Amino acid sequence: MDRISPLPDDLILKILSFPPTKVAITTSLLSKRWRDVWKHVPKLEYFAPRASTFIQNFLILHKAPVLKTMHVELAQNHRPTDIEIWLRVAVERGVRKLRFHNNPFGPKEAIRLPGSLYTCQTLVSLTLLYTFIVDVPLTICFPSLKTLRLRAPAMVRVEFSNDEIVPRILSGCPVLEGLAITRVNNGNMKTFTIMVPSLLRLTVLDLKSGSQVPGDDIGLMIAAPSLTSLTVFSQVSCSLVNMPCLVKAYIKLSSPGDSKKLLQFLTSAEHLSLCAIPSTFSYPIGVFYHLVSLVLCTCCSVWFCLILRQTPKLRVLRFRPIERCFDYVQIQWEQTSSVPQCLISSLKTVEWIDYQGRESEKKTVMYLLKNSGQLKKMAIKALPSTNLGDRYKMLQELSSTQRSSKQCQFFFT
């Protein structure tokens, strides 16, 4: 018995909005009652090798007053003029969420986004992947845009023709809250500038490869004082402004000098993940009054010595290899002259992933066991390739260490 057909139209349209559009259209074969229902679904979601005819016919037959969502992924090249028409129609239909994924394997052909897109009043979320953007107009206004993604996993990217395009786009987003950008090739850009006062969440994967030549100003500049969440993976120079609202930060840097520039602006963070080799000289990094959770990449665990004195409320400390680590040589650990305040009063949990039993690692763990008066858990997970003999030796060395906290439980796996 057909239990769906008697449902109200609004509910049926809601149900049909979940599957891809091609699946929703097949319901037209069920009965006369279903023949035209799909035409009123306010969503176009299509992933197929050849999309031109399908998308064109959909836009012609579509009867909903508003096209709330348009999500198109292309697996073959299409004429830029066709793409421009699709996007222009979407804007005319009051699109709110627009995701366009161009063919990643075809020749890089410039796409001129329709002028009406740059002044779209209804757009709330915009995602562009594998798109080479040119001819950005001087007037840009996205009054409702809250999320902008110019990124994707792996090698998906958006490319820009010069330094001015990104700041020009961002300047027209007065209420932007979330921004994610992946840049693989610098192209004609030297400085990648992100200046958005309203921005709350930012992810920047700057994957420029190769060495920087003298006079080459390639770099990343971020001025977003309202940020609460920041992720930066950069192989080029990076500069920040103060971020007093910052709660979470995930930082991976390839240059020792950059770590000095960034850390002084991250002191408001409550949760920090860090993969960056420190400079060989000491410098003030500021006090992390709010930091309660710290993750240090095992390639640079020497940060433990520098930061621990500046984190009076730290509760959780983790050492682990961070994905795609730059793999610097670990610097020799040196015991601090006095016990940091967090070890005396707040540190509860210490975890070490892929422990190898190096002398500096062993000294660090032993120091924490001996001096952490409030420690409740010390968990060590050996590198998977470690043989049983070495594991047993590590366990004996660490488990026999005197513990300052009587509540501390020691786990070794």
Side-chain angles (χ1 to χ4, degrees):
M1 180 179 178
D2 184 1
R3 298 182 179 181
I4 298 180
S5 294
L7 296 175
D9 287 351
D10 290 346
L11 184 54
I12 291 178
L13 293 177
K14 180 71 174 178
I15 294 172
L16 291 183
S17 68
F18 288 104
T21 301
K22 194 171 184 179
V23 175
I25 291 177
T26 60
T27 61
S28 63
L29 303 176
L30 296 176
S31 66
K32 292 182 179 180
R33 164 77 170 85
W34 289 85
R35 182 174 299 170
D36 294 323
V37 174
W38 67 268
K39 297 178 183 179
H40 298 271
V41 177
K43 174 184 175 182
L44 169 57
E45 182 177 349
Y46 190 72
F47 323 100
R50 298 179 180 180
S52 292
T53 303
F54 180 91
I55 295 176
Q56 180 178 335
N57 291 337
F58 175 89
L59 295 174
I60 292 173
L61 298 173
H62 192 242
K63 296 181 180 180
V66 176
L67 182 61
K68 294 181 180 180
T69 301
M70 182 174 180
H71 182 178
V72 175
E73 291 191 16
L74 305 180
Q76 290 186 357
N77 287 339
H78 293 269
R79 292 181 299 178
T81 52
D82 288 344
I83 296 172
E84 183 178 352
I85 291 173
W86 302 340
L87 299 179
R88 185 169 65 246
V89 172
V91 173
E92 293 171 354
R93 300 281 181 86
V95 66
R96 297 176 187 176
K97 295 182 179 180
L98 176 59
R99 179 184 176 96
F100 176 72
H101 186 164
N102 200 13
N103 176 21
F105 304 109
K108 184 175 66 178
E109 188 170 3
I111 295 177
R112 289 164 177 81
L113 303 177
S116 58
L117 177 64
Y118 293 102
T119 56
C120 182
Q121 303 291 304
T122 59
L123 200 59
V124 175
S125 175
L126 173 62
T127 301
L128 298 175
L129 310 177
Y130 273 124
T131 307
F132 184 66
I133 300 175
V134 295
D135 294 346
V136 176
L138 294 177
T139 302
I140 297 176
C141 183
F142 293 108
S144 305
L145 191 66
K146 291 192 174 183
T147 303
L148 176 61
R149 300 183 183 93
L150 307 176
R151 68 172 180 88
M155 295 188 63
V156 179
R157 62 190 182 274
V158 172
E159 296 183 3
F160 306 95
S161 57
N162 59 61
D163 284 11
E164 299 178 359
I165 288 183
V166 173
R168 197 185 306 169
I169 293 175
L170 296 180
S171 67
C173 306
V175 297
L176 190 66
E177 296 179 355
L179 174 63
I181 295 179
T182 296
R183 184 173 65 150
V184 177
N185 298 315
N186 293 307
N188 296 323
M189 297 185 67
K190 286 191 174 183
T191 302
F192 201 74
T193 303
I194 298 172
M195 188 177 299
V196 186
S198 62
L199 200 61
L200 301 179
R201 302 172 302 277
L202 173 62
T203 297
V204 179
L205 304 182
D206 205 332
L207 308 180
K208 182 260 179 183
S209 59
S211 58
Q212 192 167 322
V213 298
D216 192 352
D217 296 326
I218 293 172
L220 173 65
M221 187 178 74
I222 300 172
S226 299
L227 278 182
T228 60
S229 177
L230 172 66
T231 298
V232 174
F233 184 164
S234 180
Q235 300 186 45
V236 297
S237 62
C238 184
S239 63
L240 299 175
V241 299
N242 192 33
M243 295 177 289
C245 302
L246 191 66
V247 177
K248 296 180 180 181
Y250 179 101
I251 307 296
K252 284 176 59 68
L253 299 174
S254 62
S255 170
D258 288 338
S259 55
K260 176 183 177 181
K261 298 175 185 178
L262 265 72
L263 280 180
Q264 59 184 315
F265 299 113
L266 303 175
T267 53
S268 298
E270 297 178 16
H271 307 274
L272 173 64
S273 293
L274 183 64
C275 179
I277 196 73
S279 301
T280 54
F281 55 87
S282 61
Y283 48 79
I285 61 174
V287 180
F288 290 75
Y289 287 108
H290 308 286
L291 194 67
V292 295
S293 175
L294 174 63
V295 177
L296 292 176
C297 183
T298 49
C299 76
C300 56
S301 58
V302 69
W303 275 115
F304 156 77
C305 309
L306 302 175
I307 294 183
L308 224 59
R309 292 191 294 268
Q310 311 297 325
T311 56
K313 298 180 181 179
L314 189 68
R315 296 201 300 263
V316 179
L317 175 61
R318 293 185 175 92
F319 298 93
R320 65 177 178 85
I322 292 178
E323 184 181 4
R324 297 182 181 179
C325 171
F326 294 113
D327 200 24
Y328 284 103
V329 177
Q330 188 173 1
I331 298 176
Q332 183 64 37
W333 181 87
E334 293 182 6
Q335 182 171 316
T336 56
S337 57
S338 60
V339 179
Q341 179 61 39
C342 65
L343 299 191
I344 298 173
S345 60
S346 62
L347 189 65
K348 306 290 186 183
T349 302
V350 176
E351 296 178 358
W352 198 305
I353 307 298
D354 286 359
Y355 180 82
Q356 299 182 51
R358 296 172 179 171
E359 190 64 22
S360 58
E361 295 177 341
K362 182 172 65 174
K363 286 183 177 180
T364 301
V365 173
M366 288 181 171
Y367 178 81
L368 290 170
L369 286 171
K370 291 177 180 179
N371 294 280
S372 301
Q374 305 299 318
L375 194 63
K376 293 184 177 181
K377 177 183 177 182
M378 170 70 77
I380 306 296
K381 184 175 182 179
L383 191 71
S385 59
T386 306
N387 61 52
L388 289 177
D390 289 338
R391 286 174 183 266
Y392 181 69
K393 181 180 178 181
M394 294 175 188
L395 176 59
Q396 280 189 317
E397 290 175 337
L398 299 179
S399 61
S400 61
T401 302
Q402 183 181 357
R403 306 173 199 177
S404 175
S405 172
K406 295 181 180 180
Q407 307 174 59
C408 180
Q409 292 183 297
F410 182 81
F411 301 91
F412 186 93
T413 56

